[in-house]
Amino acid sequence: MGCTNSVYKKKKKIVPEISIFAPILRIPVHSDLQRILRGFVPNDLAYRIAAIRNQIALLGEDTGGSAVSELIRALEEYLPLLLGLTKKEYGLQELVEFRWRELGEEREEICGMNSWFELLCVVHMMAMLTLMEANEKLIPKESSLSERLVSADCMRDAVDLLLKAAGYLNFCVVDVLPRLPHDLKSRLPSDMQDNVLEAMSHQALAQGTELQLGLAVHSKNATLSVKRRLACEQLSFYAQAHCCISEKKESNTVLKKQLFFLKWKHLEAKAAAYYYHSLILDKGTEPSCHLSAVCCILAAEELLVESKKACLTFCLAEPITRCPPPWGAMKHLQKKIPETAAKKAQMYTYLLDQEKGLKSLPEFQLSLKPDEYELPEADPVWGCGKFEFPEHEHDAKETKS
């Protein structure tokens, strides 16, 4: 007998590369909303709500979330239809149980019988898709494993996307979560809790500032003071993000991965801040300035070494991701920090024998702010008059009898 090849082939697992971190993407679970809404809203409206929601579910499932632009357009089309369900005057806020599930291997579902829960999931999905789009801007299709060139235009576009994502996340925290019933809010997964959403917003602003620093590094007009300010602001944003979730008791796989990411980026940002601070201190005329400068550059070198270890820890944490090649500001700093540290340590060996004093980094007012996100107007069909609800018809029959 001859050998036969198995008809079952193991699907090749793609290990993604991450420059911009987006924790979890969820999509709607297909449901028969048209049947549930029948009798409560006009048939054509029920059909449109069900059709666009199921379209989002199908598109997300078929593409694995990669059709970012198409999904965002569909979500923006869905929002005006959904908004009518959140209005108190229609009495439909708790009519439908909305179900969503994670994309990926886990496929865990979450559900809530509240239209504000659905709105939270929609805006959260828009934020995650926007972060994914920013990530794509920074990973060219023809990317080398050892070297990367990201154009200034792509970096600027990514900054705009990060500010937009931060705006979506802020809107979830300020305008949507407070409207959820306490029991529903307490059952939300960790990545949709207010502190983690705040952390994600700070993280988006940190990465936006990191990109600005990358642009400044290659700009002839950017002074050392500007570069130090951006590095320090980046560090402050990452510190705020880490503070939001570092004390959270629940530590699932996704949250652990995010904490590893924040630790890695925080160390990189701190190395950059001490590097630029050392260059400014070294311009002083007093011997103490040179000593402080040397201490700062040596601290930057140690932090850079630790950041590389933290990067590896992040990449090996589940779900496994590829280590990105150096790019942007860090591509420059991974070369300059060791060179400058070796040079300064050799020049000022006699000063290093004295008492070391690591200068504190200066604090700056944070420049980047999230974009202000506002919900669109509800679809005009919601303003075409009062709908006849079944309970009203029931009341009318009782009155006649």
Side-chain angles (χ1 to χ4, degrees), residues 12-23 64 66 103-105 132 135-136 139 143 145 148 257 261 264 311-312 314-325:
K12 185 178 179 182
K13 186 176 181 180
I14 298 174
V15 180
E17 182 181 321
I18 291 178
S19 291
I20 304 295
F21 184 72
S66 62
L103 273 180
E105 296 179 359
M132 289 168 59
N135 189 59
E136 290 176 3
I139 303 178
S143 176
L145 292 175
R148 167 167 305 160
K257 183 84 172 177
F261 180 83
W264 162 37
C311 175
L312 185 59
F314 162 72
C315 291
L316 292 177
E318 291 291 340
I320 295 175
T321 48
R322 282 194 290 130
C323 289

Side-chain angles (χ1 to χ4, degrees), residues 341-353:
K343 181 180 177 182
K344 296 297 181 184
Q346 192 174 23
M347 286 175 61
Y348 298 108
T349 304
Y350 69 98
L351 287 175
L352 292 174
D353 293 334

Side-chain angles (χ1 to χ4, degrees), residues 131-312:
L131 292 174
M132 289 168 59
E133 187 177 0
N135 189 59
E136 290 176 3
K137 292 283 184 184
L138 304 177
I139 303 178
K141 293 180 180 178
E142 297 179 1
S143 176
S144 168
L145 292 175
S146 58
E147 188 174 350
R148 167 167 305 160
L149 292 174
V150 180
S151 71
D153 287 342
C154 284
M155 293 172 76
R156 292 189 189 96
D157 289 345
V159 172
D160 292 339
L161 290 166
L162 287 163
L163 297 183
K164 184 182 288 187
Y168 290 143
L169 293 162
N170 267 14
F171 181 82
C172 289
V173 173
V174 176
D175 293 283
V176 184
L177 281 178
R179 299 175 186 269
L180 294 182
H182 177 74
D183 64 320
L184 178 54
K185 195 187 302 185
S186 65
R187 289 188 283 108
L188 290 173
S190 60
D191 63 294
M192 297 183 83
Q193 299 284 347
D194 53 1
N195 57 339
V196 179
L197 293 174
E198 286 178 21
M200 284 301 305
S201 179
H202 291 313
Q203 181 180 303
L205 297 176
Q207 297 206 261
T209 310
E210 179 183 355
L211 290 168
Q212 289 185 327
L213 177 58
L215 292 167
V217 164
H218 299 291
S219 171
K220 295 179 181 179
N221 298 324
T223 63
L224 275 179
S225 296
V226 168
K227 295 171 187 175
R228 180 181 66 173
R229 180 188 180 104
L230 288 170
C232 289
E233 287 185 27
Q234 174 192 350
L235 178 61
S236 296
F237 278 128
Y238 277 125
Q240 289 176 9
H242 191 272
C243 183
C244 285
I245 58 175
S246 59
E247 296 181 1
K248 191 170 176 61
K249 294 179 180 179
E250 183 184 352
S251 57
N252 58 25
T253 302
V254 176
L255 202 59
K256 285 180 180 177
K257 183 84 172 177
Q258 186 174 1
L259 281 167
F260 287 137
F261 180 83
L262 288 173
K263 182 179 180 181
W264 162 37
K265 302 305 290 186
H266 184 267
L267 287 168
E268 277 191 350
K270 202 168 187 178
Y274 272 117
Y275 170 72
Y276 287 113
H277 192 46
S278 74
L279 297 184
I280 289 176
L281 288 173
D282 202 38
K283 291 183 177 293
T285 55
E286 298 294 325
S288 60
C289 294
H290 299 304
L291 174 60
S292 296
V294 173
C295 291
C296 285
I297 191 61
L298 293 179
E301 186 179 35
E302 291 177 9
L303 288 162
L304 186 61
V305 171
E306 290 302 310
S307 75
K308 291 178 180 178
K309 295 177 184 176
C311 175
L312 185 59

Side-chain angles (χ1 to χ4, degrees), residues 59-100:
L59 185 59
E61 179 70 37
D62 288 349
T63 65
S66 62
V68 172
S69 299
E70 293 87 343
L71 282 166
I72 288 181
R73 277 197 299 270
L75 289 165
E76 289 174 344
E77 185 180 346
Y78 177 52
L79 268 176
L81 299 172
L82 170 63
L83 284 175
L85 295 177
T86 67
K87 305 296 184 184
K88 285 185 178 180
E89 57 264 34
Y90 295 112
L92 305 174
Q93 288 185 342
E94 298 181 350
L95 175 67
V96 180
E97 182 182 61
F98 296 99
R99 293 164 57 219
W100 288 67

